[in-house]
DNA sequence: TCTAAGATGGCA
DNA sequence: GCCATCTTAGAA
């Protein structure tokens, strides 16, 4: 693994380990979205891990066209449509052919995305509180699935900034939300703040 | 504060 | 039918 500098871009090799390790490590990192010349940044405050052998993992049964990116190299995006109207954004982790990913569930946004409709910007601190709202806020769609997380794609990750490292929020580990199997696995992490989907 | 149900579409 | 969701309405 390469040396990690505060604020530097997260590279694939840093993500090439089990999702249950990456998920808590991503808390405090920044997700950056660029559309044209407009940039929106948000600190990741809530994550969930999905791994092989985990009945809640999309790749639990078999490899399909939808879950294909989960089998790919670390550092890819895995995005899927849920309940017909929302997208969920995941960061692919671990080695190739080891289907695993981290669901990014909430961000503490640095600024209000200028492209968002006013009706979605009313609850200032909770605009990206929840995976569906997060994807809507950043304009992440299924078409991003399988793409690398890098500036060239307009979507990438940065390591924790110095301010976070100097004064980190407490990280809570608990069970995952919105699933019916694997409910006992404690693979959800969040930083205790208002931007989290649920405490 | 809580529970229930509707919107809406791909997937197994 | 089931969903790694969110919002709104209505009960309590």
């Amino acid at each position: 693994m390469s040396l990690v500098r505060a604020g530097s871009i997260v590279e694939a090799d840093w993500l090439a380990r089990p999702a249950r390790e990456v998920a808590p490590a991503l808390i405090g990192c920044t997700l950056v979205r660029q559309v044209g010349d407009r940039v929106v940044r948000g600190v990741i405050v809530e994550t969930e891990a999905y791994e092989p052998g985990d009945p809640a993992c999309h790749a639990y049964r078999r490899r399909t066209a939808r879950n294909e990116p989960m089998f790919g190299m670390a550092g890819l995006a895995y995005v899927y449509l849920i309940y017909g109207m929302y997208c969920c954004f995941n960061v692919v982790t671990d080695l190739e052919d080891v289907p695993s990913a981290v669901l990014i569930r909430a961000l503490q946004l640095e600024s209000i995305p200028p492209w968002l409709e006013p009706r979605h910007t009313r609850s200032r601190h909770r605009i990206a509180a929840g995976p569906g709202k997060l994807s809507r806020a950043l304009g992440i769609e299924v078409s991003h699935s399988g793409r690398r997380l890098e500036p060239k794609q307009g979507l990438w990750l940065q390591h924790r900034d110095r301010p976070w490292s100097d004064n980190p929020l407490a990280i809570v580990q608990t069970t995952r939300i919105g699933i019916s199997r694997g409910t006992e696995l404690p693979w959800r992490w969040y930083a205790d703040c208002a931007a989290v989907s649920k405490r």
Side-chain angles (χ1 to χ4, degrees):
Chain A
M1 197 187 304
S2 56
L3 189 67
V4 169
R5 278 179 298 107
S8 63
I9 292 175
V10 171
E11 306 287 353
D13 63 348
W14 188 81
L15 299 166
R17 47 190 167 131
R20 72 181 83 172
E21 279 184 38
V22 176
L26 279 174
I27 301 289
C29 290
T30 299
L31 180 63
V32 190
R33 173 75 165 127
Q34 178 167 18
V35 179
D37 56 0
R38 302 189 288 196
V39 176
V40 172
R41 298 158 49 90
V43 175
I44 295 171
V45 294
E46 182 179 351
T47 58
E48 286 180 359
Y50 291 86
E51 293 190 0
D54 163 15
C57 180
H58 280 182
Y60 181 63
R61 289 172 178 277
R62 65 179 179 278
R63 197 165 180 151
T64 68
R66 181 179 67 155
N67 66 34
E68 181 65 24
M70 292 189 84
F71 290 81
M73 64 175 290
L76 297 182
Y78 170 50
V79 185
Y80 61 90
L81 184 67
I82 188 74
Y83 302 115
M85 52 195 339
Y86 296 100
C87 289
C88 288
F89 167 69
N90 298 251
V91 176
V92 173
T93 57
D94 220 314
L95 304 178
E96 201 150 358
D97 294 322
V98 180
S100 62
V102 172
L103 172 67
I104 309 300
R105 289 191 54 91
L107 301 177
Q108 191 163 64
L109 292 178
E110 192 175 77
S111 60
I112 311 273
W115 50 73
L116 266 191
E117 296 174 42
R119 65 194 181 91
H120 290 140
T121 65
R122 300 220 184 97
S123 55
R124 318 288 292 181
H125 301 290
R126 302 188 58 77
I127 291 172
K133 296 168 76 178
L134 180 159
S135 297
R136 183 181 64 196
L138 294 194
I140 298 172
E141 298 171 343
V142 173
S143 59
H144 286 95
S145 199
R147 306 239 293 263
R148 285 188 189 224
L149 294 170
E150 57 189 8
K152 194 168 65 178
Q153 300 290 346
L155 187 62
W156 69 96
L157 294 163
Q158 290 178 1
H159 286 290
R160 292 172 181 172
D161 287 324
R162 185 50 50 71
W164 173 282
S165 308
D166 288 350
N167 191 17
L169 291 173
I171 295 179
V172 179
Q173 179 177 9
T174 179
T175 52
R176 297 173 295 181
I177 290 179
I179 55 174
S180 55
R181 294 173 307 179
T183 53
E184 72 289 352
L185 296 171
W187 287 355
R188 173 173 174 251
W189 290 264
Y190 66 87
D192 205 355
C193 67
V196 163
S197 72
K198 189 183 174 208
R199 298 198 239 188

